[in-house]
Each structure stands twice: as C-alpha cells, then as structure tokens.
Amino acid sequence: MTQRIAEVDRKSKETQIKVNINVDGSGKTKIKTPIGFLDHMIELFAFHGYFDLDLSVSGDTHIDIHHTNEDIGIVLGKAFKKALGEEKAGIKRFGSAFAPMEGTVGQCVIDISGRGFFKFHCATPMPAQKGTEGYEFSHFEHFMESFAHNLGATLNFTIQNPSDDLHTNLETMFKSLGLALDQATTVDPRRVGQ
C-alpha cells in the first residue's frame, strides 16, 4: 500500500502553518501552536485516530485567536485530503464513534464524500460555559467547519448530557472525531482498485 502521508505549508497575512501527517501512524504528535488548549484537543484527536502529526503554527493571536484557529482547521483538512489522494482509493469512507467523559457523550459521524459540510446538534440547550484560555464554543465550530470543507467531508456532531465545562464537551468531540476518521480512512481490501 502506498504511504498516506502529506506535507502542507500555508502562509497568509495572519498565520504561518506547516503540517506533516501520516494517516497510517501510531498517534505520535509534535504540536506547537499559540493556542495551548487547541494543541491539547488536536493531540487527543491524533492519538485516538492513530495519526502521526507534526504541526507548527505562528499567528496573530495578539489580536485574537480567530484566524489562527480557523487556519489550522483549513490546513489539517487539506493535509488529510492530500494524504488520502484524489481517488481516496479503497477507504471505507464512512465512520462513526462515541467518546464519553463522565456523564457527557460526544458523537461524530463522518462521510468523506468530497463535499464539505459541518453540523452540530444538541438535544438539550447547551449550558452556559466559560471559555478555556480564550477558546470558546464558537471557535470549535469554526475549526470544524474549516476542517470539513477542506477535507471534503460531511461532519455531524452530537453531544448528550453536555457539561457546563467547555473542556469536557470539546474533548468528547475531538476524541470521537479521531476515532470516526480513523474508521473512515481505513482501507478495506474488498475495495482495492475502487
């Protein structure tokens, strides 16, 4: 099987990002961004997805974290798309996973269809949550929307029994994304040549 690895460099007025990814790794990471909380979430995502990920980022976080957060999502999406190749040969394409943390359960359902779409659903109103290191729930939404559109995947997230702790809620969703994406990118030998 061809190695599914990619390197993406992106420079804009706001950010400089370099990522190296191995879809068929073991979950080793070297992540350095100016958003410590996001570093932690991406480490969990890569660990549970068995993706080797080297990510270095500098950005205009002295203004706010919006551009840096969004641009990281863009570059990670592009890197996965590049690593999987245009044909995405043999992948299962669909994946779904649950990740619990105490009473909170995050779920991700993904389809690497070539069409970018992101949706978050919560059956009950989300409790008020205090941001972590300036990271808010809206940053998670922007990150995932950017990731989905640049990968070319439909991402649906659901959370059950959301906590009033943002860290708990987002950790369940980043973990479930790693698990679901690992499943969706798995090559099924029955699809060889397709």
Side-chain angles (χ1 to χ4, degrees), residues 95-108:
S96 65
F98 291 90
M101 192 167 179
E102 288 91 36
T104 302
V105 180
Q107 178 189 22
C108 177

Side-chain angles (χ1 to χ4, degrees), residues 30-31 38 58 74 77 84 116 158:
K30 183 179 175 186
I31 298 171
L38 186 58
S58 61
I74 289 169
L84 294 174
T158 304

Side-chain angles (χ1 to χ4, degrees), residues 22-102:
N22 179 354
V23 174
D24 304 303
S26 60
K28 295 178 188 168
T29 60
K30 183 179 175 186
I31 298 171
K32 183 67 177 154
T33 83
I35 309 170
F37 179 76
L38 186 58
D39 289 7
H40 176 52
M41 293 297 114
I42 294 171
E43 285 168 357
L44 292 170
F45 155 75
F47 178 80
H48 291 285
Y50 297 94
F51 310 123
D52 289 346
L53 183 60
D54 190 339
L55 174 67
S56 61
V57 180
S58 61
D60 63 351
T61 52
H62 60 286
I63 296 171
D64 65 28
I65 66 173
H66 173 81
H67 289 126
T68 303
N69 173 72
E70 185 175 40
D71 288 359
I72 294 169
I74 289 169
V75 173
L76 280 178
K78 286 179 186 268
F80 272 93
K81 184 175 184 175
K82 184 176 178 181
L84 294 174
E86 280 301 313
E87 300 300 317
K88 300 181 280 295
I91 66 168
K92 289 189 173 181
R93 189 179 136 178
F94 295 96
S96 65
F98 291 90
M101 192 167 179
E102 288 91 36

Side-chain angles (χ1 to χ4, degrees), residues 96-150:
S96 65
F98 291 90
M101 192 167 179
E102 288 91 36
T104 302
V105 180
Q107 178 189 22
C108 177
V109 179
I110 187 169
D111 173 14
I112 307 174
S113 62
R115 296 176 303 278
F117 178 82
F118 162 75
K119 181 74 175 175
F120 170 77
H121 176 72
C122 184
T124 59
M126 286 286 281
Q129 297 170 72
K130 184 179 171 190
T132 302
E133 294 180 18
Y135 205 87
E136 305 286 343
F137 191 80
S138 62
H139 293 115
F140 162 78
E141 292 178 304
H142 288 192
F143 177 92
M144 289 302 174
E145 185 171 32
S146 298
F147 180 75
H149 282 279
N150 286 276

